[in-house]
Amino acid sequence: MNKLELAQFLRRRREARRPAEVGLSVSGRRRTPGLRREEVAWLAGVSTNYYERLEQARAPRPSTQVLAALGTALRLTEAEGEHLARLAGQAPPARDEPVPEGVLRLLDRLGPVPAYVVDERYDVVAWNALAVRLIADFSALPPEERNVLRMAMRGGRCSSAGDEFVRQAAADLRLAAARHPDDRRITGLADEYAEFSAQFAASWTDHDVQVRPTLRKRIEHPDLGELDLEAQVLHAPNSAHRLIFLTAEPGTRSHEALTALSAAGGDRPSSTPLRADRVRSAGATTRPAS
């Protein structure tokens, strides 16, 4: 149980919730932003003293029933409720999972669509050949630098990220840190990126854990210029991996650029041992297409 993170999360969600949103009618001026502690306690059916101790990181681990009641009182989304439970110690043990075979097959069959797979730490663990031509030769990067956020900080082609991407990165790392509280690589990466991006730092502090399945992403390509792309994020079932594939609206310059990039690659090998009809997974051998 991470008492400090739990306390901060509850306080942020309480301050973000307005009385009218939870069915409370109030009059006059309120000094407290959002709900008062006693209001949350009343809505959740717990004592004010107990809820205050939760926000002070002094309370024992809350039960499943109390967590559910707090989630209802604060109108938490499904993702926020799961995050709350993990902060309270109801989380699976940390493990490095292999990329599911189904995800690799999907990555293999996307055709002329750049795509890659990231784990909870935003490490790129699998990719197709078009992603190499669009973003980077991932296989040539040191393992610790094969990370979307570090590539942005180092001024790579992923360096131009939209506001939604930055907020989503903060949410994803918050969720990952709650799942794996002993993994210093996650919080270390968050600290590193917070120094680089003030917006990330603000989102991280706000404990926003909302999931955004579609994001805008801008990529600076040396030959194609700035591309405005749509990043679709698919979460692998029963896995922490996410498949990101990049597309552009037909008729736009970015779409024309992606089409040209795909046509230029053809079936010839890229600058790495990857072929256009093959998919690469970090730590695994290159695999022929099915």
Side-chain angles (χ1 to χ4, degrees):
M1 175 178 172
N2 192 327
K3 289 187 176 183
L4 182 59
E5 289 283 322
L6 177 66
Q8 292 175 347
F9 179 71
L10 287 172
R11 184 166 60 254
R12 290 289 182 176
R13 297 282 70 76
R14 174 177 61 81
E15 292 173 350
R17 192 64 63 214
R18 297 294 177 261
E21 296 176 312
V22 298
L24 296 178
S25 57
V26 295
S27 59
R29 177 179 255 177
R30 294 167 63 93
R31 295 192 308 171
T32 303
L35 299 175
R36 298 189 176 106
R37 291 189 180 95
E38 58 267 26
E39 291 171 337
V40 175
W42 180 78
L43 289 168
V46 300
S47 71
T48 300
N49 177 262
Y50 175 71
Y51 182 77
E52 287 177 345
R53 285 189 293 136
L54 278 175
E55 282 203 7
Q56 294 166 355
R58 296 190 300 110
R61 177 182 296 177
S63 67
T64 303
Q65 293 79 7
V66 168
L67 291 174
L70 289 172
T72 300
L74 293 168
R75 300 297 193 268
L76 299 184
T77 65
E78 182 178 354
E80 289 172 333
E82 292 176 356
H83 184 61
L84 176 66
R86 292 188 181 96
L87 291 177
Q90 299 180 19
R95 64 186 188 275
D96 288 323
E97 300 175 302
V99 182
E101 282 295 318
V103 173
L104 290 178
R105 286 195 295 272
L106 178 58
L107 185 63
D108 200 15
R109 297 168 182 171
L110 280 174
V113 177
Y116 55 94
V117 178
V118 297
D119 63 12
E120 291 181 286
R121 294 183 293 271
Y122 271 71
D123 289 336
V124 180
V125 295
W127 55 88
N128 64 10
L130 192 52
V132 171
R133 294 197 290 273
L134 177 66
I135 302 173
D137 182 355
F138 298 108
S139 64
L141 297 174
E144 66 275 9
E145 295 298 318
R146 197 181 295 152
N147 179 280
V148 173
L149 301 184
R150 286 203 175 97
M151 291 173 68
M153 288 185 280
R154 306 297 187 261
R157 297 180 195 174
C158 293
S159 60
S160 183
D163 295 346
E164 289 180 339
F165 172 82
V166 173
R167 288 195 297 269
Q168 186 60 60
D172 289 336
L173 290 183
R174 269 291 180 197
L175 291 169
R179 294 187 188 102
H180 313 302
D182 297 326
D183 191 340
R184 287 296 304 164
R185 293 173 295 178
I186 297 171
T187 51
L189 178 63
D191 291 342
E192 193 178 341
Y193 200 60
E195 292 185 8
F196 171 79
S197 169
Q199 185 178 21
F200 177 90
S203 296
W204 177 261
T205 301
D206 196 43
H207 286 254
D208 177 12
V209 292
Q210 291 296 330
V211 175
R212 301 165 181 84
T214 303
L215 307 167
R216 304 303 304 181
K217 192 173 182 68
R218 295 188 302 277
I219 290 180
E220 291 283 353
H221 192 277
D223 300 321
L224 304 175
E226 184 178 275
L227 303 181
D228 182 17
L229 305 176
E230 186 174 88
Q232 295 283 348
V233 183
L234 296 181
H235 291 255
N238 304 315
S239 171
H241 291 99
R242 300 185 297 278
L243 172 64
I244 294 94
F245 56 96
L246 304 170
T247 61
E249 185 178 351
T252 63
R253 192 192 67 80
S254 295
H255 183 266
E256 294 173 356
L258 281 185
T259 302
L261 188 66
S262 175
D267 292 327
R268 295 180 289 106
S270 66
S271 59
T272 74
L274 312 179
R275 286 217 315 264
D277 61 345
R278 295 194 177 186
V279 61
R280 175 66 182 266
S281 174
T285 57
T286 304
R287 201 171 46 81
S290 303

